């Protein structure tokens, strides 16, 4: 089955006359437990519903649960690619609605300590695969390590997930400050999750962006507000994304609107090329 899937991916690559201008997005949070992975998975599914091709890479080393949310059993990780000399095609798994997924394990975060031929293998393989997708989304760990932060800085854009709890807000602010310390121009957007009220959620989110502007001197985007919804808990228990579990639930509708609003801002994509992420990452590796 896995070999069949790899063959299908290779065939897709061969049939594309022009590769996609893939955009890379790093999804982060200041602390665990704010729903970052759930948002990554379901936002990706909402993009797919709008006709986009998406690859999710689980970078939450040791704590990753995107595979569980997708109802998948991890068969191969990035480590297997290096140890068994596999192609990246062979470690991609396909979940609901044709959402492609890679379990990175420690393979990506430790790229800086790899041997040169392993680094080159990753760059070559990633370069072949990225053209298959409109969006490659990295589900980063909370409080990312220095090495993992390099993937954030190489990405085209960052999403920060938070909730109305004061500790989550404070940690989100600290994460943004940390990112801006290394790159003051990277686009950042914030998602307010588990809001009890849409109006209150938007007011809190707008107030947060103003605080960032005032004290960190950078304008960030307010991507969206997602409501607290019991559908999420039931979907996690069923190991099915809530966007699939209950398409007409309050949170699914909110996610669909958020993804739609986001795509409306993405009409002009000339600034992004399939190689931009790799070029930036290679430069970071070279400077380390």
């Amino acid at each position: 089955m896995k070999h069949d899937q790899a063959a299908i991916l290779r065939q897709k690559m061969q049939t594309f006359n022009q590769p996609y201008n893939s955009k890379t997005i790093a999804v982060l949070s200041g602390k665990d437990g704010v729903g970052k992975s759930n948002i990554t998975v379901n936002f990706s599914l909402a993009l797919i519903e709008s006709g986009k091709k998406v690859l999710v890479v689980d970078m939450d080393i040791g704590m990753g649960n995107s595979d569980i949310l997708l109802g998948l059993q991890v068969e191969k990780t990035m480590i297997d690619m290096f140890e068994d000399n596999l192609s990246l095609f062979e470690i991609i798994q396909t979940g609901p609605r044709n959402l492609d997924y890679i379990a990175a394990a420690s393979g990506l975060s430790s790229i800086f300590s790899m041997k040169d031929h392993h680094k080159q293998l990753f760059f070559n393989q990633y370069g072949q695969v990225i053209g298959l997708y409109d969006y490659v989304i990295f589900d980063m760990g909370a409080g990312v390590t220095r090495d993992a932060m390099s993937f954030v800085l190489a990405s085209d854009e960052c999403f920060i997930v938070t909730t109305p709890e004061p500790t989550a807000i404070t940690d989100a602010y600290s994460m943004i400050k940390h990112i801006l310390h290394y790159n003051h121009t990277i686009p950042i957007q914030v998602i307010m999750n588990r809001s009890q009220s849409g109006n209150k959620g938007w007011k809190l989110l707008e107030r947060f962006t103003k605080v960032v502007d005032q004290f960190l001197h950078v304008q960030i985007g307010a991507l969206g507000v997602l409501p607290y919804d019991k559908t999420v808990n039931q979907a996690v228990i069923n190991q099915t994304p809530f966007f699939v579990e209950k398409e007409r639930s309050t949170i699914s509708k909110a996610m669909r609107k958020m993804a739609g609003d986001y795509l409306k801002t993405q009409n002009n994509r000339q600034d992004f090329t399939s190689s931009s992420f790799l070029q930036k990452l290679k430069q970071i590796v070279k400077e380390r």
Side-chain angles (χ1 to χ4, degrees):
M1 182 69 178
K2 175 56 64 176
H3 291 296
D4 291 342
Q5 182 172 306
I8 291 171
L9 285 166
R10 289 193 187 94
Q11 185 177 15
K12 284 182 181 179
M13 189 63 184
Q14 292 171 357
T15 57
F16 285 134
N17 294 323
Q18 292 182 338
Y20 286 96
N21 288 329
S22 305
K23 184 173 184 180
T24 49
I25 302 172
V27 184
L28 306 93
S29 62
K31 59 177 289 186
D32 285 318
V34 297
K36 170 182 58 62
S37 294
N38 227 326
I39 286 175
T40 300
V41 165
N42 287 279
F43 181 77
S44 299
L45 288 168
L47 292 178
I48 289 174
E49 185 180 76
S50 295
K52 304 302 179 182
K53 297 182 183 298
V54 185
L55 171 67
V56 170
V57 183
D58 194 341
M59 292 287 291
D60 198 347
I61 311 303
M63 297 291 289
N65 58 10
S66 296
D67 55 313
I68 297 173
L69 298 172
L70 286 166
L72 297 174
Q73 290 186 342
V74 175
E75 298 176 7
K76 299 288 184 180
T77 71
M78 193 66 68
I79 288 296
D80 294 299
M81 185 183 82
F82 297 124
E83 292 183 347
D84 300 334
N85 198 32
L86 302 176
S87 72
L88 201 56
F89 295 104
E90 293 174 284
I91 67 171
I92 294 175
Q93 295 178 251
T94 301
R97 310 282 173 85
N98 290 318
L99 173 59
D100 285 345
Y101 168 79
I102 291 178
S106 59
L108 286 180
S109 66
S110 60
I111 188 172
F112 298 97
S113 59
M114 289 179 189
K115 296 179 180 179
D116 287 341
H117 69 277
H118 279 163
K119 291 179 184 177
Q120 196 57 49
L121 173 64
F122 167 73
F123 291 138
N124 289 342
Q125 290 294 321
Y126 188 87
Q128 291 181 41
V129 169
I130 192 172
L132 292 170
Y133 303 96
D134 294 289
Y135 293 93
V136 177
I137 303 180
F138 295 104
D139 181 9
M140 308 300 302
V144 291
T145 65
R146 182 167 175 259
D147 282 352
M149 179 58 69
S150 300
F151 280 80
V152 175
L153 300 176
S155 296
D156 296 311
E157 188 171 16
C158 293
F159 291 174
I160 307 295
V161 180
T162 188
T163 64
E165 286 78 11
T167 54
I169 293 289
T170 301
D171 288 337
Y173 179 87
S174 297
M175 175 59 72
I176 292 173
K177 185 177 180 180
H178 184 59
I179 294 171
L180 294 176
H181 174 74
Y182 294 99
N183 185 342
H184 204 73
T185 62
I186 187 169
I188 297 175
Q189 301 207 60
V190 182
I191 300 169
M192 183 65 64
N193 192 27
R194 298 179 191 150
S195 176
Q196 295 289 347
S197 163
N199 288 335
K200 289 182 179 179
W202 275 110
K203 288 180 180 179
L204 181 57
L205 185 52
E206 290 169 1
R207 188 159 60 245
F208 178 77
T209 60
K210 289 179 180 178
V211 169
V212 171
D213 187 11
Q214 179 180 356
F215 292 100
L216 299 181
H217 311 295
V218 68
Q219 292 186 342
I220 62 173
L223 184 58
V225 173
L226 299 173
Y228 172 81
D229 191 331
K230 293 181 179 178
T231 299
V232 176
N233 293 333
Q234 189 59 50
V236 171
I237 292 172
N238 294 339
Q239 296 187 31
T240 304
F242 64 73
F243 201 77
V244 175
E245 173 85 6
K246 198 171 181 181
E247 295 183 351
R248 296 185 177 276
S249 63
T250 302
I251 191 166
S252 291
K253 291 178 180 178
M255 179 62 77
R256 185 175 289 110
K257 182 181 185 305
M258 187 174 79
D261 291 343
Y262 174 75
L263 288 174
K264 289 177 183 177
T265 70
Q266 302 299 299
N267 292 332
N268 189 344
R269 300 253 324 265
Q270 282 82 359
D271 291 338
F272 305 102
T273 65
S274 297
S275 59
S276 64
F277 171 82
L278 278 181
Q279 290 171 349
K280 287 183 283 187
L281 187 62
K282 284 180 180 180
Q283 185 61 36
I284 293 171
V285 170
K286 183 179 180 180
E287 294 173 352
R288 290 290 296 272

